[in-house]
Amino acid sequence: MSQFPPLIDCFFHSFFYPIFTPNYFPLETVQVKSKIVASFIDDLKQIVGDEHILFDAESLDKYAQDETEDLYFLPDLVVKPRTVAEISNILKLCNRNQIPVTPRGGGTGLSGGALPHKGGLVLSTERLNKIISIDERNLQVTTEPGVITEVLQDAVKEKNLFYPPDPSSKGSSFIGGNVAENSGGPKAVKYGVVKDYVLNLEMVLATGDIIWTGANVLKNATGYNLTQLVVGSEGTLGIVTKIVLKLIPLPRFDLLMLVPFSSSERACAAVSAIFQAGYIPSGLEFMERDALVFVSKFMESTTVKINDGVQAHLLIEVDGNHMENLMQEMEAIAGLMGEFGSGEILFAEDALQKAELWKLRRRVGEAVKAHSVYKEEDAVVPRAELPVLLRGVKSLGEKYGFQSVCYGHAGDGNLHINIIKGDMSEEKWNGSLKDGIREIFQLVKSLGGTISGEHGIGLV
């Protein structure tokens, strides 16, 4: 049937066979239609049991949406398998019957990548929620995909180990979804993103074949790097059922400061200067004034006093194992910030204040969403180009009549651009705003960047 070896043969069939909804293609090219009949459902019940197949309106409504704005697609049914064997049998069944399958994790996505836009079956991984083993000798953890990211981090932390990727949704997102999106978060500036920690994946292809993509080793030159191909593929190549992650020792200390600036552009310019001076913070986040105002009100927090004239803040963290070195590094960075017109710096005094400051940063997106109807973009540019990107976004806002609230992982050049509807007319919101967003993308491209740093492509 094929000239390829068995593993490559089943991989190629998975890639080209239209069982998974391939969201990276234009929607009009995907012509698969649901053909669910009673006999199919009877066969499905034999695999997972009646109680793990959902048809009721409330359940279908839940799985028809995620955290993306304005997207809603009802599935025909939802199935919740528990084992890799069940997933394999489900996909074989769907393959035979040409039923679209949409894999889904925690439902926290921001690009509509796990929505069943062609109906069919949503396959939820929420029952695959076990941490299988923590290997302290080799600094590895093997986990199922339905484990919540923060639960995994806390489990390895108890053994003085560290899994750094920490998206804002870490309290509800699944580790499998993080792999599908190649998630990042504030720690990425020093420690990297999910791809830098995935060693090996067990996955089920569209044909139902079960493969491992690599090996549980730090170096591997034995063929195609299928592991890294799957990371970030947004569920289009198969369903991940086990994940082997690299861990590192947990840093003993960290220091945190919040630095105010009278100019958002100068705050962005200060970011590049930190790295040019030889420092690598463990977190470096940007929040313009409205972002901090919105989230402080949303959380009813009085931790940060936002003085008149302050237009932006940088949240800067350093970590390591020697407190004296960290103190010197933080003092040097603080002095450097003064060269960019910073105001009075807030140094977090204890763990509680650190936690509060990080909570403010992590919940900005939620606060913006609660404030107004919005559209969120996830642009990333070389970090030295951040001031140009921010200036361009504000200029386009004036041109097209929209207000933007910007924040993000400044140390990575990753700016979350939240366009809020506010008083915009429906005509502009649904019409000319699209041209404005297109110009933002063109600006990002001209600066050598990409239109998504960590949210993925999905349906948006």
Side-chain angles (χ1 to χ4, degrees):
M1 182 174 174
S2 170
Q3 63 183 357
F4 297 111
L7 186 150
I8 300 300
D9 181 40
C10 65
F11 171 75
F12 269 46
H13 277 81
S14 171
F15 187 78
F16 291 111
Y17 201 61
I19 290 296
F20 297 105
T21 52
N23 294 339
Y24 50 88
F25 292 135
L27 298 188
E28 62 270 14
T29 70
V30 183
Q31 299 300 328
V32 179
K33 294 188 177 180
S34 176
K35 295 182 284 187
I36 293 178
V37 295
S39 60
F40 172 84
I41 295 173
D42 288 340
D43 290 341
L44 201 57
K45 288 179 180 179
Q46 293 298 313
I47 299 172
V48 297
D50 293 13
E51 66 272 28
H52 301 306
I53 304 173
L54 306 179
F55 301 92
D56 61 285
E58 183 178 352
S59 295
L60 296 184
D61 177 75
K62 173 185 175 182
Y63 291 91
Q65 53 197 313
D66 59 7
E67 294 300 319
T68 314
E69 72 278 2
D70 302 332
L71 293 183
Y72 185 91
F73 299 94
L74 279 170
D76 292 301
L77 57 87
V78 177
V79 61
K80 299 182 179 183
R82 173 64 193 95
T83 68
V84 62
E86 290 178 357
I87 293 175
S88 175
N89 287 328
I90 290 168
L91 294 186
K92 289 176 182 177
L93 178 64
C94 291
N95 196 320
R96 289 195 302 269
N97 290 274
Q98 291 286 279
I99 304 298
V101 176
T102 303
R104 181 180 171 105
T108 62
L110 293 168
S111 63
L115 300 183
H117 68 275
K118 288 294 177 180
L121 182 151
V122 166
L123 192 152
S124 171
T125 60
E126 59 197 272
R127 293 181 63 222
L128 281 77
N129 58 1
K130 304 297 183 185
I131 297 175
I132 297 169
S133 66
I134 300 174
D135 182 349
E136 296 178 68
R137 291 174 60 242
N138 290 305
L139 277 69
Q140 295 178 8
V141 59
T142 302
T143 180
E144 293 181 326
V147 174
I148 293 173
T149 306
E150 191 168 26
V151 171
L152 179 75
Q153 289 178 318
D154 290 344
V156 301
K157 187 176 181 179
E158 289 180 4
K159 300 181 181 296
N160 286 316
L161 296 173
F162 186 32
Y163 174 67
D166 59 339
S168 294
S169 60
K170 68 177 184 177
S172 53
S173 64
F174 292 177
I175 192 67
N178 293 176
V179 170
E181 298 294 333
N182 191 23
S183 300
K187 301 290 186 185
V189 62
K190 179 176 181 179
Y191 293 105
V193 295
V194 168
K195 72 177 178 63
D196 299 304
Y197 295 87
V198 180
L199 296 175
N200 200 1
L201 298 169
E202 179 190 69
M203 66 182 298
V204 185
L205 306 180
T207 55
D209 295 275
I210 302 169
I211 69 168
W212 282 92
T213 61
N216 301 358
V217 294
L218 298 175
K219 297 171 69 177
N220 185 358
T222 59
Y224 294 116
N225 192 341
L226 299 183
T227 303
Q228 291 301 316
L229 179 65
V230 173
V231 175
S233 64
E234 303 188 36
T236 59
L237 301 181
I239 297 178
V240 171
T241 49
K242 292 186 182 68
I243 304 163
V244 182
L245 297 167
K246 177 179 70 175
L247 305 173
I248 61 176
L250 182 71
R252 295 173 57 198
F253 306 110
D254 59 69
L255 298 173
L256 184 67
M257 63 180 174
L258 186 69
V259 187
F261 292 85
S262 59
S263 162
S264 295
E265 287 185 44
R266 298 201 76 184
C268 287
V271 171
S272 183
I274 292 172
F275 294 90
Q276 288 178 306
Y279 304 110
I280 304 178
S282 54
L284 180 45
E285 300 289 300
F286 169 82
M287 293 178 285
E288 67 175 342
R289 182 185 182 92
D290 283 347
L292 201 49
V293 169
F294 285 1
V295 74
S296 295
K297 182 179 291 187
F298 179 74
M299 291 178 54
E300 299 181 351
S301 172
T302 57
T303 298
V304 180
K305 181 181 179 182
I306 307 174
N307 295 322
D308 293 342
V310 171
Q311 296 301 317
H313 288 81
L314 291 180
L315 186 64
I316 305 173
E317 180 191 78
V318 296
D319 70 1
N321 295 319
H322 304 286
M323 179 59 82
E324 183 178 348
N325 292 346
L326 295 181
M327 291 290 292
Q328 292 175 353
E329 187 172 352
M330 192 63 101
E331 289 174 5
I333 293 174
L336 182 61
M337 296 301 92
E339 297 178 17
F340 291 84
S342 65
E344 184 176 355
I345 297 174
L346 171 62
F347 292 92
E349 297 179 353
D350 51 36
L352 285 176
Q353 194 170 39
K354 291 175 188 175
E356 181 69 9
L357 288 173
W358 274 119
K359 186 183 293 185
L360 285 169
R361 165 58 190 91
R362 292 185 183 280
R363 298 191 70 182
V364 169
E366 191 180 349
V368 173
K369 184 176 182 179
H371 179 82
S372 171
V373 175
Y374 76 110
K375 293 183 184 295
E376 181 174 7
E377 304 303 337
D378 176 41
V380 59
V381 296
R383 71 168 72 95
E385 304 298 339
L386 267 178
V388 183
L389 174 60
L390 185 66
R391 182 165 63 249
V393 168
K394 297 304 178 182
S395 176
L396 289 171
E398 293 177 4
K399 177 179 177 180
Y400 288 96
F402 64 78
Q403 178 186 354
S404 62
V405 179
C406 298
Y407 59 94
H409 313 305
D412 298 324
N414 188 188
L415 190 67
H416 298 319
I417 304 164
N418 283 254
I419 300 171
I420 62 176
K421 187 173 185 296
D423 297 328
M424 283 187 73
S425 67
E426 291 293 332
E427 181 181 5
K428 285 187 176 182
W429 182 254
N430 295 312
S432 61
L433 179 59
K434 295 177 182 177
D435 297 324
I437 293 175
R438 180 178 296 276
E439 287 200 41
I440 291 175
F441 289 165
Q442 290 170 338
L443 172 62
V444 169
K445 186 69 167 63
S446 72
L447 296 173
T450 67
I451 63 174
S452 182
E454 57 186 6
H455 292 173
I457 299 304
L459 291 173
V460 300

